[in-house]
């Protein structure tokens, strides 16, 4: 049954039904509503979990890491500077192979201070060993949390995951969302079965010191697990579709790519605006389509190459900037399409929450058709 609710509340509700045993988070805009809701649920005994109050994001993720190593299903949420404060622990969580799920309410990073949306925060941790999934709307956001737990806790994967949705654009927006019942979630997501856990009667070490003779092998194993996560995601997404009727079995998703000459590539809520713009352009005879990237880590290079093999031009919309080298997504799409003969242009867009309208998408397509790209789109040159 569809319910009309705020995106943050939908996340809190689905997290509750995933039955985390330990929750630790520090409030920060625009993530706050999620953890407020979860704290209230714990206080009301709606969820059998320990809610650990902490003094910082560093402590929040450290508490989750310890609880996960002790064998608990755990959850956290953060954004922007809070995620930056977790930087060290993020690498530790992946290296220690702890299947933590954390919601990222995507927000720009300072300075200058900005509380509005772009995807710089999570993109900046693309090499940390966390799986990264990006949602277009609040239904997909809720659903991806269930899938994320299933993929993370797979004993062939055992990696943590970000479920990313755009701050304010989705976190504070009310949309119809179909939330499965507790019984339905239980049927899809079994109780956490830790591969290993801290146990005084069977002592183990996690995150121990590694000399040069061993360190590189640890990193290789994380990379191999990341690669295996592609098939694990496909399997979990297919099972989700069979049970709930919403299919997430693809790492990328095409929209009106049939006979397209130009394809836009994007992640997150901007895809909704792009689809509306494409519908208008198609009505005017322009052959334009969209490829939405749902899983950024592991990066679906082969899937992108397969999906775009029929187009002549690709325009990547990057809500981030790898300073000195263009957008992170654009760089990786160019690598995926290297040698294909397809022209790929990157557009840095909507940083710091700047609005993107349908006419902006059409303008990007105009630029790509003219061979103009690899640029910031919409710069206000009068303030430079």
């Amino acid at each position: 049954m569809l319910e009309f609710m705020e995106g943050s509340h939908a996340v809190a509700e689905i997290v509750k039904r995933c039955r985390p045993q330990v929750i630790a988070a520090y409030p920060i805009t625009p993530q706050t509503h999620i953890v407020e809701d979860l704290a209230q649920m714990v206080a009301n005994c709606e969820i059998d979990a320990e809610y650990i109050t902490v003094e910082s994001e560093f402590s929040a993720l450290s508490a989750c890491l310890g609880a996960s190593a002790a064998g608990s299903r755990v959850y956290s949420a953060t954004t922007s500077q809070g995620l930056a404060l977790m930087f060290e622990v993020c690498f530790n969580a992946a290296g220690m192979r702890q299947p933590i799920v954390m919601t990222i309410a995507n927000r720009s990073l300072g300075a200058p201070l900005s509380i509005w949306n772009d995807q710089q925060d999570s993109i900046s941790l693309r090499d940390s060993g966390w799986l990264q999934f990006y949602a277009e709307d609040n239904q997909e956001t809720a659903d991806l949390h269930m899938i994320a737990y299933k993929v993370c806790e797979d004993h062939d994967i055992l990696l943590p995951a970000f479920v990313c949705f755009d701050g304010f654009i989705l976190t504070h927006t009310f949309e119809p969302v179909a939330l499965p019942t507790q019984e339905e979630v239980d049927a899809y997501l079994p109780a956490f079965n830790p591969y290993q856990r801290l146990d005084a009667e069977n002592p183990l070490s996690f995150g121990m010191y590694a000399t040069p003779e061993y360190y590189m092998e640890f990193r290789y194993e994380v990379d191999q697990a990341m690669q295996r996560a592609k098939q694990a995601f496909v399997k979990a997404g297919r099972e989700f579709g069979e049970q709930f009727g919403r299919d997430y079995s693809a790492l990328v998703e095409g929209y009106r790519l049939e006979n397209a000459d130009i394809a836009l590539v994007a992640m997150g809520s901007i895809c909704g605006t792009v689809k509306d713009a494409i519908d208008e352009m198609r009505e005017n005879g322009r052959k334009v389509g969209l490829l939405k990237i749902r899983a950024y880590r592991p990066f679906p290079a082969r899937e992108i190459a397969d999906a775009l093999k029929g187009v002549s031009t690709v325009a990547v919309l990057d809500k981030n900037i790898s300073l000195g080298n263009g957008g992170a997504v654009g760089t990786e799409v160019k690598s995926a399409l290297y040698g294909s003969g397809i022209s790929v242009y990157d557009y840095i867009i909507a940083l710091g929450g700047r609005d993107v309208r349908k006419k902006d998408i059409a303008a990007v397509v105009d630029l790509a058709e003219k061979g103009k790209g690899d640029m910031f789109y919409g710069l206000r040159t009068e303030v430079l």
Side-chain angles (χ1 to χ4, degrees), residues 23-37:
I23 301 166
Y26 190 80
I28 177 172
T29 301
Q31 155 265 36
T32 310
H33 290 186
I34 300 171
V35 295
E36 280 181 345
D37 281 351

Side-chain angles (χ1 to χ4, degrees), residues 97 156-157 159 219-229:
R97 310 293 297 274
D156 286 331
I157 309 301
L159 288 176
R219 303 300 288 168
Y220 172 80
E221 292 283 7
V222 172
D223 182 66
Q224 291 298 296
M226 183 70 75
Q227 297 297 334
R228 291 194 296 271

Side-chain angles (χ1 to χ4, degrees), residues 255-265 278 281-282 286-291 308 310-316 342-343 345 347 361-362 364-371:
Y255 180 77
R256 303 196 72 169
L257 278 175
E258 67 281 1
N259 304 319
D261 292 327
I262 297 181
L264 294 142
V265 176
I278 286 173
M281 287 186 279
R282 282 278 183 173
R286 305 182 75 177
K287 295 180 179 178
V288 185
L290 165 70
L291 186 68
L308 297 179
V311 308
S312 61
T313 303
V314 169
V316 182
I342 300 172
S343 299
Y345 302 106
Y347 302 88
I361 304 302
V364 166
V365 171
D366 289 342
L367 289 168
E369 284 182 331
K370 297 173 183 174

Side-chain angles (χ1 to χ4, degrees), residues 160-186:
F162 295 156
V163 178
C164 304
F165 73 143
D166 288 328
F168 290 115
I169 298 171
L170 294 179
T171 58
H172 288 58
T173 295
F174 281 68
E175 293 180 343
V177 179
L179 291 178
T181 65
Q182 184 64 67
E183 292 73 20
E184 289 171 330
V185 175
D186 290 343

Side-chain angles (χ1 to χ4, degrees), residues 18-334:
C18 289
R19 298 186 186 276
Q21 295 155 299
V22 175
I23 301 166
Y26 190 80
I28 177 172
T29 301
Q31 155 265 36
T32 310
H33 290 186
I34 300 171
V35 295
E36 280 181 345
D37 281 351
L38 284 166
Q40 191 66 57
M41 291 170 183
V42 173
N44 292 343
C45 299
E46 297 174 33
I47 176 174
D48 184 16
E50 184 77 22
Y51 191 103
I52 303 175
T53 55
V54 292
E55 81 284 7
S56 72
E57 285 85 356
F58 183 91
S59 295
L61 192 54
S62 296
C64 286
L65 180 55
S68 181
S72 298
R73 177 176 286 167
V74 302
Y75 173 79
S76 190
T78 192
T79 182
S80 184
Q81 315 295 136
L83 181 59
L85 193 54
M86 293 177 170
F87 182 93
E88 176 185 350
V89 193
C90 282
F91 277 78
N92 283 333
M96 293 167 64
R97 310 293 297 274
Q98 297 304 313
I100 301 165
V101 171
M102 181 158 62
T103 307
I104 306 299
N106 283 118
R107 180 187 128 181
S108 55
L109 278 163
L113 176 65
S114 169
I115 63 169
W116 292 278
N117 165 254
D118 60 38
Q119 295 165 344
Q120 190 70 59
D121 48 3
S122 52
I123 291 287
S124 296
L125 277 162
R126 62 188 182 274
D127 300 326
S128 64
W130 286 60
L131 309 171
Q132 293 197 17
F133 308 133
Y134 288 80
E136 177 182 345
D137 54 35
N138 287 332
Q139 182 67 66
E140 187 171 22
T141 304
D143 295 343
L144 284 176
H145 281 79
M146 297 170 61
I147 294 171
Y149 272 115
K150 196 153 194 171
V151 174
C152 289
E153 294 173 359
D154 185 322
H155 287 185
D156 286 331
I157 309 301
L158 294 176
L159 288 176
F162 295 156
V163 178
C164 304
F165 73 143
D166 288 328
F168 290 115
I169 298 171
L170 294 179
T171 58
H172 288 58
T173 295
F174 281 68
E175 293 180 343
V177 179
L179 291 178
T181 65
Q182 184 64 67
E183 292 73 20
E184 289 171 330
V185 175
D186 290 343
Y188 175 78
L189 181 65
F192 181 38
N193 175 30
Y195 180 73
Q196 291 178 317
R197 65 183 180 88
L198 294 174
D199 184 347
E201 296 183 358
N202 182 28
L204 294 171
S205 293
F206 287 78
M208 57 191 295
Y209 186 77
T211 61
E213 289 80 10
Y214 297 101
Y215 180 87
M216 193 160 68
E217 283 69 26
F218 274 87
R219 303 300 288 168
Y220 172 80
E221 292 283 7
V222 172
D223 182 66
Q224 291 298 296
M226 183 70 75
Q227 297 297 334
R228 291 194 296 271
K230 289 183 180 179
Q231 286 308 310
F233 183 92
V234 169
K235 180 174 182 289
R238 183 183 302 116
E239 291 173 356
F240 190 97
E242 291 169 355
Q243 184 170 342
F244 301 106
R246 297 183 292 277
D247 187 1
Y248 296 102
S249 62
L251 304 168
V252 297
E253 184 177 282
Y255 180 77
R256 303 196 72 169
L257 278 175
E258 67 281 1
N259 304 319
D261 292 327
I262 297 181
L264 294 142
V265 176
M267 304 194 305
S269 64
I270 195 173
C271 292
T273 305
V274 172
K275 289 176 179 177
D276 287 343
I278 286 173
D279 289 343
E280 289 188 357
M281 287 186 279
R282 282 278 183 173
E283 289 174 3
N284 293 323
R286 305 182 75 177
K287 295 180 179 178
V288 185
L290 165 70
L291 186 68
K292 178 175 83 174
I293 297 177
R294 177 176 290 130
Y296 177 63
R297 281 294 181 273
F299 190 72
R302 180 178 57 80
E303 290 78 4
I304 288 172
D306 288 345
L308 297 179
K309 59 187 176 184
V311 308
S312 61
T313 303
V314 169
V316 182
L317 306 178
D318 254 312
K319 296 177 77 172
N320 71 87
I321 172 69
S322 180
L323 296 167
N325 193 46
V329 180
T331 299
E332 298 192 45
V333 170
K334 288 178 181 179

